[in-house]
Amino acid sequence: MNYYVDERGYYGEFGGAYIPEMMQANIQELRDNYLNIIESEDFRNEFSSLLSEYAGRPSPLYYARRLSGRYSAHVYLKREDLNHTGAHKINNTIGQILIAKKLGKSRIIAETGAGQHGVAAATVCALMGMKCVVYMGKLDVDRQAPNVLRMKMLGAEVIPVTSGNMTLKDATNEAIRDWINNPSDTHYIIGSVVGPHPYPDLVARLQSVISEELRWQLREKTGREYPDYIIACVGGGSNASGSFYHYLNDENVRLVAVEAAGKGIESGETAATIAKGSPGIIHGSKTILMQNDDGQITEPYSVSAGLDYPGIGPMFAWLHKTRRVQFSSATDNEALEAAFLLTRLEGIIPALEPAHALAALGKLEFKPDDTVVVILSGRGDKDMAAYMKYMDERNL
Ligand SMILES: *Cc1c(COP(=O)(O)O)cnc(C)c1O
């Protein structure tokens, strides 16, 4: 079974590039060049030195002693929360800005929902002295003021989008329009393993530094390169793709992807795409998405902004179909509870997204000797308002 992208840009029946004619040239340029660039010695040297000296990699693999006691297994946390800007997203934006430079681009565009990807993009633009334009739905601009301020301080221009629902999907449409109008000097940095080929493959390769590190870190700590389980949350799927990447063909490793169930899978307020979705086209690729009978995309819901997306990367549609990855989900409440448990047992405040992965620990049956890696994709600073609300409600 092939779990990686094929020559036509598909994962089984999913993926491809369903894009307007006007965008063909931009995508073709990227498609023709991305593999040569990321496999070149020049790129690899620059990428790895920025990852270590700027982003702070390798991220630690931490043995969580008290959490392990709680779940009767050996639980390790992959600390992506300790990266510069607080999440795994920086791995991708560093890689893509280096590619943009090699392609001779001088201007970056990005779209963002919660603002995490926008901040990561604005950060690397400041670092490289490139112009940065971030499209963001007007509603999200109002909801995510601290990240908007960060982007502005970093020198990015944030454009509020007032079409449609004024959220992520509308911001994406504006970014695509911009790219079509500025094909020669602009690179579009997509923030997850979504979008037309080659983006899903490109982003997965850039994020695969996570599983590359896991191999030697596990060998050092356990004497074995592979764990029994890897658990990661999925919005689009970039932290999961990077964590699973080097283990996809190793059937010893059980791979678990955790979606955001929101208020419950059957509540109508959910972001559990695999549980509730069906095949269709979103963001330029064929995948699974949440839609109504007329094929209109359903507005997703999750307490966690990073998982609040109505689709999933095409790689994960395929990994689900082939059953290579086991899908699970956690509700808002389960995630909040898991975040507090980690905080009180280990002194680590996680972001709400990986709190969903932590919640899955209580739903799996481990053997006492199992080695379990949970991907801690980001830190909790951005989620303090949600945590405070939970504390007030529960009198914690
Ligand atoms: C954006 C984000 C996610 C979700 O995106 P993926 O592409 O699925 O990884 C998860 N965790 C954090 C901390 C994020 O910022």
Side-chain angles (χ1 to χ4, degrees):
M1 191 65 78
N2 178 25
Y3 301 119
Y4 297 91
V5 77
D6 67 21
E7 273 169 17
R8 302 166 314 132
Y10 280 82
Y11 301 86
E13 70 227 55
F14 300 108
Y18 297 81
I19 51 175
E21 184 66 33
M22 305 272 288
M23 211 172 130
Q24 246 357 299
N26 311 40
I27 289 293
Q28 194 63 43
E29 184 186 28
L30 195 58
R31 192 172 167 164
D32 289 345
N33 292 290
Y34 83 107
L35 283 178
N36 281 341
I37 293 175
I38 63 181
E39 280 163 9
S40 71
E41 199 174 313
D42 210 27
F43 174 88
R44 285 154 66 129
N45 289 339
E46 273 184 274
F47 187 44
S48 79
S49 81
L50 282 173
L51 286 180
S52 65
E53 284 145 39
Y54 187 70
R57 303 203 72 87
S59 66
L61 182 66
Y62 166 68
Y63 180 64
R65 190 179 54 82
R66 297 184 67 206
L67 200 65
S68 295
R70 174 81 177 213
Y71 292 109
S72 305
H74 299 293
V75 180
Y76 290 83
L77 303 176
K78 182 61 171 157
R79 300 289 311 272
E80 294 300 301
D81 60 314
L82 295 178
N83 294 335
H84 180 43
T85 70
H88 65 290
K89 288 195 168 74
I90 194 79
N91 305 327
N92 172 47
T93 57
I94 290 177
Q96 285 203 46
I97 202 146
L98 292 175
I99 292 171
K101 268 190 13 180
K102 299 266 186 264
L103 291 173
K105 311 289 179 181
S106 58
R107 179 175 175 270
I108 295 295
I109 55 172
E111 89 286 341
T112 197
Q116 295 299 107
H117 172 56
V119 169
T123 298
V124 296
C125 287
L127 176 69
M128 296 294 173
M130 281 209 209
K131 189 168 166 33
C132 184
V133 177
V134 180
Y135 290 93
M136 191 169 184
K138 167 89 173 46
L139 203 67
D140 292 330
V141 170
D142 298 338
R143 289 193 289 205
Q144 311 287 339
N147 276 340
V148 174
L149 291 177
R150 281 185 195 106
M151 286 183 263
K152 287 185 173 166
M153 182 163 176
L154 288 159
E157 182 187 352
V158 180
I159 301 186
V161 175
T162 52
S163 55
N165 290 334
M166 306 191 203
T167 59
L168 183 60
K169 186 159 56 69
D170 315 293
T172 303
N173 290 340
E174 283 310 309
I176 289 172
R177 197 161 302 152
D178 180 315
W179 207 22
I180 288 170
N181 290 328
N182 300 284
S184 54
D185 69 341
T186 297
H187 174 68
Y188 179 14
I189 301 190
I190 290 184
S192 188
V193 284
V194 300
H197 176 66
Y199 279 103
D201 184 47
L202 168 59
V203 177
R205 284 173 191 258
L206 296 173
Q207 290 290 2
S208 73
V209 63
I210 301 174
S211 58
E212 196 181 303
E213 288 173 5
L214 273 178
R215 287 216 291 211
W216 62 260
Q217 289 175 318
L218 282 165
R219 195 188 324 117
E220 271 182 18
K221 289 189 195 313
T222 70
R224 223 176 59 175
E225 278 197 346
Y226 61 93
D228 298 293
Y229 290 84
I230 305 176
I231 307 174
C233 64
V234 271
S238 70
N239 85 90
S241 72
S243 317
F244 297 171
Y245 198 85
H246 289 92
Y247 294 108
L248 287 172
N249 287 327
D250 185 346
E251 305 275 344
N252 292 312
V253 186
R254 267 165 281 187
L255 304 172
V256 182
V258 187
E259 301 191 299
K263 296 191 175 159
I265 284 175
E266 303 303 334
S267 69
E269 292 181 84
T270 184
T273 304
I274 289 291
K276 293 304 288 178
S278 53
I281 290 166
I282 182 172
H283 215 141
S285 75
K286 182 161 183 242
T287 185
I288 292 176
L289 61 136
M290 299 196 302
Q291 54 192 329
N292 66 18
D293 293 342
D294 300 329
Q296 294 293 324
I297 293 167
T298 322
E299 195 67 21
Y301 164 80
S302 164
V303 68
S304 132
L307 303 183
D308 196 358
Y309 179 67
I312 190 165
M315 180 185 204
F316 286 89
W318 182 234
L319 290 170
H320 168 66
K321 175 136 197 193
T322 57
R323 296 172 183 271
R324 176 64 188 97
V325 167
Q326 175 187 342
F327 279 78
S328 176
S329 70
T331 62
D332 289 359
N333 273 330
E334 289 169 332
L336 284 157
E337 216 170 276
F340 274 83
L341 187 68
L342 182 73
T343 304
R344 299 289 167 95
L345 287 180
E346 299 287 348
I348 298 170
I349 301 179
L352 272 167
E353 292 84 1
H356 289 73
L358 291 163
L361 282 170
K363 303 183 177 192
L364 296 162
E365 299 235 342
F366 303 119
K367 294 195 289 294
D369 280 340
D370 279 344
T371 296
V372 179
V373 174
V374 181
I375 309 301
L376 209 60
S377 57
R379 67 175 84 125
D381 311 28
K382 68 181 180 60
D383 296 315
M384 286 318 293
Y387 290 148
M388 294 293 289
K389 184 162 170 277
Y390 183 78
M391 282 177 70
D392 282 347
E393 285 166 8
R394 310 278 155 131
N395 289 318
L396 287 170

